[in-house]
Amino acid sequence: MNYKKYFFLGLLTALLLGLFSFNAQAHDPHDVVQQVELSPTYQQDRSIYLLVRGNFLKSTDGGTTWQRQVNGLDHQTPLMAFSTDPTDPNRLYMSTGGDGIYQSDNGGETWQPINQGLPELNLNKVAVTDQVFVAGHDANLYRREGDSWTLALATDGPVGAIAPTPDNILIGDQQGQLSRSADSGKTWTPVGKADSAITSISASTADTLWVGTAEDGVLRSQDGGQTLTAANQGLPETAIQDIISPDGVQLYASTANQGVFYSDNGGDSWQPADSGLTKTDQADRMGFPHFTDLALSPAFDQDGTVLASGFNGLFKTADQGESWQQLDTLPGEIVMALGVSPDYGNDQTLVTVSYVGEAYISRDGGDSWTPMAKGMELPFFTDSFEPIDLNDDPRRFQSLAFSPNYAKDGTLFATILNNGVLNYSQGKGWKLQRFKDWERALALAPSPNFDQDRTLFVGTQKGRVYRSDNGGKRFKKIGEIEPQFGNESPFMVVSPDYGNDKTVFMTGVEGVYKTTNGGKSWQAMTDKALLEDGLKLKLAISPNYGEDQTLWLGSTNGLLQSQDGGMTWAMVTGPYGDTPYIEAVAASPDYGTDQTLLVSVRGKGLFKSADGGMSFVAVGDPALPMAIVTNFEYGAMPLVFSPNYASDKTIFGFGSVTGEIFKSTDGAETWQTITLPDAEIFAAYNNYEYSVWNRVQFFAHVYQRQLIKLALAGIAGVILYAVLTLASRFLKLKWLGWPLRTGATLLVTGAAIAVLM
């Protein structure tokens, strides 16, 4: 019997045990929904409005698809809250954390500020009864009168709830004070007082109302708020976020941590209504509530529709809370970066990468797309077969770059949010490499002279700079600047004349940094006072930099230009306001000839200059969001010129909350929307039902270190067995037969495994 054969077959079998039970999980990241409201005419128009991660979204199909609404919202501070007008389904109001309040008269399609008379612009709650009210961030309530605002009520703290009753208006503040007005908010009378902050109010009649509090649960009043009595039977938690009622008998309440609860007896008792609601421990780690806002269909008695929002997303029930379904508001296929082949004039090649693990390539200018899934399988990123939490998928693309030598080498590079650079080769797929130090929010920039110097730069949120001199196979840390704040990612641009000047620029906390020695040392180049704490920096370099030394820097406070290699900067004015929030800036590849510059301005749309920034004109459709989705860790410019722009006049853009890009073939005057393939198509290519060969590859990857150690131990054993065999034969040691040799070999091999493992 051939014992050796069966020994190695047994070893291989043991190594492969469990290989075929691995199941991949596809999922999307958390959406962190701040507020949700249904249109007053929801049954007819199916419209839902949403604030999610600081983005205002609208759905006209009951929440199946969403559109990002940006036209007129030129705010520099966060969007805080919004309200629909119950008497006009097209009118909405939006409060901000420093830009005042905006009004829309067409269902959120366009907005305009209405700040006349407001003594403060940092606002919280906004509500519409028979009047419009808005609450200051720290205190006070304001009332809209005609085209201006007036102080309605001075409060000692922030107003946490505003609600109408059939005859009154009620507000509750952070001190627990409940106040009532019977004359449309002109005068107010203090009524009952809770022992903790009031978070919500729901009233069915002038006398009967329910008050949600931050610590004391639900309080009920049957005398217009004069007396408040706890109504918490069945509630496991008293941190109430919202409370709503369709008829004064049925009630829904959301709590910060436990979910949604239902009462069918006016609050006498409560029961869970949480089937299908989900949570993530990331909310606990970040100190956020799991659940927040509730919204009720105006036709609840017919459609049974309630919406619930929270850290993990938006949930909808159409059976009065019996079961909930999660709605995809910020899906994983949001485009995070777009690349155009350097040889686009010949190969018509585009590549897009998404927020979570999807990449597509088009070889016909965007008419058709093919998934680039090879190498994107989850085990290559987690180094494990263990299932992961729905919010922890590590395959989150952030930036993308074609090799400048793509026509010959067919190579692309990409970064993922958390410590990863991907190298894509045709036929081989994606290959991930990690840095020794944990890095986050990575910028990527290849040398224009890549075919000769094989140089690729990576900048990180922590300010560390890495360089590869062998085409991205290995990276070495070469320099460092100050760390970025929050989720900021740096922007990096390399001088088109890098082969001679070794110049690279990168954004950071001091503005723009410059190196002239290939990244070894960096110097801050911008006057911080000029930026006025402007963040969200976007950096672009002139393709003719070797001659004109020109750069542009977009910020929350405007567009800056340098014409001396970053030594001095000046603000570029335009017809887009005094302090425009620049969300993208890009220069024509023929800038030296056509002097064409394109900028995307928040709330205003695209502006184009044909004289190097001396003058601008509005172009395109201001409703198209040419900007990275707010509060996403951006790493790529959302405007990209075709390298063949001089002849094809083609520009690409992205920024919606669906898998789509925008394309113009007339120099940004008009745009078409290109929809990427459905995520389900990518899932099929992504091998969620893995083949045997896939699983063998995953096993080899996940356990590569252990396999190498086993191989070394096996080699040691084979060498020992060979030495003992030779000794037995040439020294004629009859006592050294195969049983002893095998036993010694197994003993040494086992010892080697124990030491190496």
Side-chain angles (χ1 to χ4, degrees):
M1 181 177 292
N2 190 339
Y3 293 100
K4 297 178 184 178
K5 173 182 177 181
Y6 288 103
F7 171 76
F8 285 109
L9 283 175
L11 178 62
L12 180 61
T13 301
L15 290 174
L16 295 177
L17 281 177
L19 191 61
F20 304 103
S21 60
F22 170 64
N23 292 315
Q25 296 183 347
H27 53 266
D28 292 331
H30 56 265
D31 291 353
V32 194
V33 178
Q34 302 161 245
Q35 185 186 348
V36 58
E37 283 198 22
L38 289 85
S39 163
T41 52
Y42 173 75
Q43 194 173 30
Q44 290 77 41
D45 57 34
R46 309 295 291 169
S47 292
I48 305 175
Y49 303 101
L50 200 68
L51 263 182
V52 50
R53 286 201 185 186
N55 299 274
F56 181 68
L57 308 184
K58 179 181 180 180
S59 173
T60 55
D61 54 15
T64 301
T65 60
W66 299 87
Q67 300 80 43
R68 186 180 176 198
Q69 304 298 316
V70 298
N71 194 355
L73 290 174
D74 57 353
H75 58 104
Q76 295 185 345
T77 56
L79 301 178
M80 299 301 293
F82 68 94
S83 182
T84 57
D85 187 330
T87 64
D88 184 349
N90 291 314
R91 181 164 293 172
L92 296 93
Y93 298 89
M94 179 80 69
S95 64
T96 70
D99 293 283
I101 190 164
Y102 293 82
Q103 176 179 320
S104 173
D105 292 320
N106 53 10
E109 300 294 327
T110 60
W111 298 81
Q112 54 280 331
I114 51 168
N115 293 328
Q116 182 178 338
L118 267 177
E120 60 178 303
L121 300 180
N122 189 357
L123 307 171
N124 281 344
K125 295 279 185 180
V126 58
V128 186
T129 58
D130 60 339
Q131 302 290 323
V132 184
F133 296 92
V134 64
H137 179 268
D138 298 316
N140 300 333
L141 182 73
Y142 301 95
R143 174 178 175 270
R144 184 118 170 110
E145 289 189 354
D147 293 330
S148 187
W149 295 87
T150 185
L151 178 66
L153 178 65
T155 63
D156 294 331
V159 172
I162 309 170
T165 75
D167 303 306
N168 303 291
I169 302 167
L170 292 165
I171 66 166
D173 63 28
Q174 200 171 64
Q175 279 67 45
Q177 180 64 58
L178 190 67
S179 301
R180 181 177 61 196
S181 173
D183 55 6
S184 299
K186 295 178 182 177
T187 61
W188 294 82
T189 302
V191 282
K193 192 173 190 303
D195 292 331
S196 63
I198 294 175
T199 58
S200 58
I201 303 170
S202 179
S204 61
T205 69
D207 292 327
T208 304
L209 58 107
W210 295 266
V211 176
T213 66
E215 298 177 10
D216 298 314
V218 176
L219 306 178
R220 181 170 53 191
S221 177
Q222 294 180 326
D223 57 7
Q226 295 290 340
T227 57
L228 300 170
T229 305
N232 294 325
Q233 183 178 335
L235 285 177
E237 180 186 10
T238 56
I240 305 299
Q241 296 292 299
D242 200 8
I243 184 168
I244 56 175
S245 174
D247 55 14
V249 176
Q250 301 177 85
L251 298 170
Y252 293 88
S254 61
T255 69
N257 301 295
Q258 297 298 320
V260 177
F261 295 85
Y262 171 73
S263 173
D264 59 2
N265 52 20
D268 287 341
S269 62
W270 297 85
Q271 58 190 3
D274 56 5
S275 178
L277 298 178
T278 63
K279 300 194 298 184
T280 172
D281 60 2
Q282 189 171 0
D284 298 319
R285 296 196 301 269
M286 298 181 68
F288 282 81
H290 287 278
F291 301 97
T292 50
D293 199 32
L294 297 173
L296 192 71
S297 167
F300 174 82
D301 58 336
Q302 300 173 45
D303 59 29
T305 296
V306 185
L307 295 178
S309 65
F311 189 89
N312 215 26
L314 180 65
F315 301 88
K316 179 181 181 180
T317 178
D319 54 17
Q320 300 188 14
E322 291 290 330
S323 61
W324 298 83
Q325 176 188 4
Q326 186 166 7
L327 302 180
D328 225 359
T329 60
L330 295 178
E333 59 263 29
I334 290 174
V335 174
M336 290 297 290
L338 182 151
V340 182
S341 165
D343 198 32
Y344 180 80
N346 295 317
D347 61 26
Q348 295 288 289
T349 297
L350 308 171
V351 171
T352 65
V353 292
S354 77
Y355 184 46
V356 184
E358 295 178 18
Y360 296 96
I361 187 168
S362 173
R363 293 184 174 88
D364 52 17
D367 290 338
S368 62
W369 299 84
T370 302
M372 304 168 70
K374 190 173 183 180
M376 289 301 298
E377 295 87 355
L378 192 59
F380 290 135
F381 291 78
T382 61
D383 297 331
S384 171
F385 292 134
E386 295 297 321
I388 61 175
D389 183 83
L390 298 182
N391 295 310
D392 291 336
D393 194 320
R395 300 169 298 179
R396 302 194 182 190
F397 280 108
Q398 192 169 28
S399 60
L400 173 73
F402 274 81
S403 161
N405 199 36
Y406 179 77
K408 295 181 180 179
D409 60 30
T411 299
L412 295 99
F413 303 97
T415 63
I416 57 174
L417 177 62
N418 289 320
N419 199 37
V421 176
L422 289 161
N423 183 316
Y424 182 87
S425 299
Q426 294 183 17
K428 296 181 180 180
W430 299 97
K431 185 176 181 181
L432 174 68
Q433 60 176 302
R434 304 280 195 184
F435 295 113
K436 181 179 179 181
D437 294 322
W438 185 260
E439 301 291 359
R440 193 174 189 275
L442 311 179
L444 180 67
S447 162
N449 202 39
F450 184 81
D451 57 334
Q452 278 85 42
D453 59 29
R454 310 292 292 166
T455 296
L456 184 70
F457 290 92
V458 170
T460 75
Q461 187 181 73
K462 293 182 178 179
R464 292 189 280 259
V465 179
Y466 296 83
R467 189 181 72 200
S468 172
D469 296 321
N470 56 6
K473 294 179 181 178
R474 290 183 303 277
F475 285 87
K476 180 180 180 181
K477 179 186 168 185
I478 56 167
E480 191 166 357
I481 63 173
E482 293 88 350
Q484 298 267 19
F485 296 127
N487 284 332
E488 293 290 314
S489 172
F491 262 84
M492 296 186 81
V493 294
V494 182
S495 165
D497 198 29
Y498 177 79
N500 295 318
D501 60 25
K502 296 293 184 281
T503 296
V504 185
F505 296 90
M506 183 166 76
T507 60
V509 294
E510 295 291 332
V512 177
Y513 295 76
K514 179 180 182 180
T515 178
T516 56
N517 56 11
K520 295 179 182 178
S521 60
W522 296 80
Q523 177 185 0
M525 304 298 293
T526 41
D527 181 355
K528 198 171 182 180
L530 186 62
L531 287 174
E532 295 180 353
D533 296 323
L535 299 176
K536 308 293 185 183
L537 303 178
K538 294 93 178 170
L539 183 63
I541 191 167
S542 166
N544 200 41
Y545 176 83
E547 297 181 13
D548 60 28
Q549 297 287 288
T550 298
L551 299 109
W552 297 273
L553 181 66
S555 77
T556 56
N557 291 329
L559 178 67
L560 289 86
Q561 182 183 53
S562 173
Q563 294 181 311
D564 54 10
M567 296 297 295
T568 60
W569 296 81
M571 195 66 73
V572 179
T573 59
Y576 37 61
D578 295 333
T579 56
Y581 190 134
I582 305 299
E583 300 199 286
V585 53
S588 160
D590 297 289
Y591 180 79
T593 301
D594 61 25
Q595 295 286 285
T596 296
L597 185 68
L598 199 62
V599 295
S600 175
V601 181
R602 173 174 284 187
K604 304 292 182 64
L606 293 179
F607 291 82
K608 182 179 179 180
S609 174
D611 54 15
M614 297 293 291
S615 62
F616 285 88
V617 294
V619 291
D621 182 356
L624 292 181
M626 303 287 190
I628 293 292
V629 177
T630 304
N631 288 325
F632 274 53
E633 300 86 349
Y634 63 83
M637 195 69 75
L639 286 174
V640 184
F641 277 83
S642 160
N644 207 40
Y645 177 77
S647 58
D648 63 24
K649 299 301 177 190
T650 296
I651 308 168
F652 296 93
F654 62 92
S656 70
V657 292
T658 56
E660 61 187 20
I661 63 171
F662 311 113
K663 179 180 180 180
S664 174
T665 54
D666 57 8
E669 295 294 334
T670 61
W671 295 80
Q672 68 176 110
T673 299
I674 297 174
T675 302
L676 299 175
D678 190 274
E680 293 180 0
I681 297 176
F682 190 91
Y685 282 86
N686 207 17
N687 298 319
Y688 288 137
E689 297 180 359
Y690 296 127
S691 68
V692 173
W693 174 239
N694 290 139
R695 295 167 190 264
V696 171
Q697 288 179 301
F698 303 156
F699 188 89
H701 171 79
V702 172
Y703 296 112
Q704 57 183 315
R705 292 183 179 179
Q706 293 91 329
L707 291 173
I708 290 173
K709 292 175 181 179
L710 283 174
L712 291 174
I715 291 171
V718 170
I719 292 173
L720 176 62
Y721 190 87
V723 169
L724 293 176
T725 299
L726 291 174
S728 172
R729 290 181 181 177
F730 290 102
L731 299 179
K732 304 201 183 287
L733 301 175
K734 294 182 180 181
W735 54 270
L736 197 57
W738 78 265
L740 186 57
R741 296 199 302 271
T742 301
T745 298
L746 290 175
L747 183 63
V748 171
T749 302
I753 291 174
V755 171
L756 292 172
M757 292 298 186

